[in-house]
């Protein structure tokens, strides 16, 4: 849970920092969207080799390496001279962070008997980081230059690395209780890897892979530029609130951005979505519940701009509905992966899953950045609705395929 919170603290501090980089480096959303897509892309692409390494070396080594690498990447980010340097530092972050989800989710799948509840609490911890990362970053930016802020953000990961190395646990405590299986060594050659992949990619798992890819496009696309969207809607709804809070011309008035705090609130609401999604896996089949949440995401996307344009109450309602539904999908997809995979290859299965969510999904940042550069926010949310609608159709096919003997 600590590792999950740290990964998402860094992941979600990046959109807040992007609002600073837009003015600091005099660049466009399209350019920064590509820069973010590099880091977020490696975050997903590295999940596949990360999954293989988890099956071979275990969760402790991978999570500790992840935390150490993320700390180093933010130290490098503080020294970045321009957009190219920022892109390189984000690439290091993405490569380091990529191993976390296969390691953490394998540990829960194979080590926790109450799997659905474990996914729920694990997801809630992630949302603490998802909400806390932007909030802490925004507060630090009120008082410090962004370079000092990212250097300060590097410290917790380095401390967590030391703490993680001292913790003891049984990573396979629940295999017999939940699956009746035993661990098998990970592939030693390309041929063995191909064989494991062929065994893993049943029709059901193939559908899951594509579903989570479209969910990743939605997730990354909406969250990367959401602070900018919220800023525009808030300005239209309540105007500039800074003169009523700070002295005009003060450094804090220049740095304060109300949208960043609404963004943090939206992500905090996601904690409830994580919990609901996790509990749904205990009361119904996760692939069936996933259909309901994906339909909800489509409805929210299509209604977001009309609701936000009605004023502050509509904006708040749309924002919190988005945060709740967006994060309710995560424990459901994780439990669905566990349902359609075997315990001895869980690292590989979650590696492929997060290759789709964060690797394929990273294109969402570039897509939305480009659409936002050449079209309107309304068009962006129509594109997002198309992602979730496609995922819904595939989820229906998955449930139907699951009924076939």
């Amino acid at each position: 849970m600590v590792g999950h919170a740290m990964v998402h603290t860094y992941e979600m501090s990046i959109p807040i920092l992007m609002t600073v980089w837009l003015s600091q480096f005099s660049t466009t959303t399209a350019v920064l969207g590509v820069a973010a897509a590099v880091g977020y892309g490696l975050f997903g692409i590295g999940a596949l080799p990360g999954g293989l390494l988890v099956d071979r070396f275990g969760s402790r080594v991978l999570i500790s390496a992840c935390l150490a690498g993320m700390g180093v990447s933010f130290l490098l980010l503080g020294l970045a001279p321009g957009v190219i340097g920022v892109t390189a530092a984000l690439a290091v972050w993405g490569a380091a962070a990529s191993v976390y989800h296969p390691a953490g989710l394998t540990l829960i799948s194979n080590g926790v008997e109450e799997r659905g509840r474990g996914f729920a609490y694990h997801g809630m911890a992630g949302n603490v980081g998802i909400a806390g990362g932007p909030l802490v970053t925004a507060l630090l930016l009120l008082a410090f230059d962004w370079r000092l802020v990212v250097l300060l953000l590097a410290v917790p990961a380095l401390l967590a690395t030391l703490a993680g190395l001292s913790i003891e646990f049984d990573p396979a405590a629940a295999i017999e209780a939940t699956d009746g299986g035993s661990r098998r060594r990970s592939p030693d050659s390309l041929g063995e890897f191909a064989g494991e992949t062929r065994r893993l990619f049943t029709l059901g798992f193939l559908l899951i892979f594509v579903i989570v890819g479209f969910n990743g496009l939605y997730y990354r696309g909406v969250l990367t530029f959401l602070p900018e969207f919220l800023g525009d809607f808030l300005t239209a709804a309540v105007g500039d609130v800074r003169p009523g809070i700070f002295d005009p011309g003060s450094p804090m008035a220049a740095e304060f951005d109300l949208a960043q705090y609404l963004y943090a609130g939206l992500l905090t609401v996601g904690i409830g979505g994580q919990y609901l999604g996790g509990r749904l896996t205990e009361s119904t089949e996760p692939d069936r519940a996933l259909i309901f949440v994906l339909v909800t995401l489509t409805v929210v996307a299509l209604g977001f701009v009309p609701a936000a344009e009605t004023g502050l109450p509509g904006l708040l309602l749309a924002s919190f509905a988005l945060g709740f539904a967006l994060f309710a999908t995560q424990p459901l997809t994780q439990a669905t992966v566990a349902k359609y995979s075997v315990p001895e290859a869980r690292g590989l299965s979650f590696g492929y899953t997060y290759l789709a969510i964060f690797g394929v999904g990273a294109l969402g940042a570039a897509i939305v950045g480009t659409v936002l550069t050449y079209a309107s926010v309304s068009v962006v949310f129509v594109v997002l609705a198309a992602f979730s609608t496609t995922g819904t159709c595939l989820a229906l096919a998955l449930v139907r395929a699951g009924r076939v003997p």
Side-chain angles (χ1 to χ4, degrees), residues 239-248 252-258:
D240 189 355
V241 301
R242 290 177 294 180
I245 302 175
F246 304 104
D247 292 331
M252 294 188 72
E255 295 294 337
F256 181 80
D257 186 351
L258 185 60

Side-chain angles (χ1 to χ4, degrees), residues 129-214:
I130 285 172
L135 180 60
V136 170
T137 303
L139 290 173
L140 288 173
L141 286 171
L142 289 176
F144 305 109
D145 178 74
W146 73 268
R147 294 185 184 276
L148 179 57
V149 169
V150 296
L151 293 176
L152 292 173
L153 289 174
V155 175
L158 300 177
L159 295 177
T161 302
L162 299 177
L165 292 173
S166 65
I167 296 173
E168 296 182 3
F169 50 83
D170 180 1
I175 287 181
E176 293 186 2
T178 58
D179 294 290
S182 58
R183 291 178 64 89
R184 185 169 70 230
R185 68 180 179 85
S186 60
D188 287 324
S189 67
L190 185 60
E192 289 185 6
F193 169 72
E196 287 291 310
T197 297
R198 284 195 299 271
R199 282 188 288 272
L200 177 64
F201 269 86
T202 60
L203 174 61
F205 191 83
L206 176 61
L207 286 171
I208 294 168
F209 181 83
V210 182
I211 291 167
V212 296
F214 277 101

Side-chain angles (χ1 to χ4, degrees), residues 17 39 53 95 198 207 237 240 250 260 287 289 320 333 342 367 404:
L17 291 166
L53 293 172
R198 284 195 299 271
L207 286 171
D240 189 355
S250 68
Q260 295 177 349
D287 43 2
F320 294 151
T333 55
V342 293
I367 292 170
V404 179

Side-chain angles (χ1 to χ4, degrees), residues 218 297-307 381-382 385-386 389:
Y218 190 117
L297 283 174
T298 299
V299 173
V300 170
L302 293 176
F304 191 93
V305 174
F381 279 92
V382 170
T389 299

Side-chain angles (χ1 to χ4, degrees), residues 72-100:
V72 170
S73 71
F74 266 62
L75 292 177
L76 295 173
L77 187 60
L79 304 175
V83 174
I84 293 177
V86 166
T87 304
L90 293 180
V92 174
W93 172 82
S98 66
V99 302
Y100 174 75

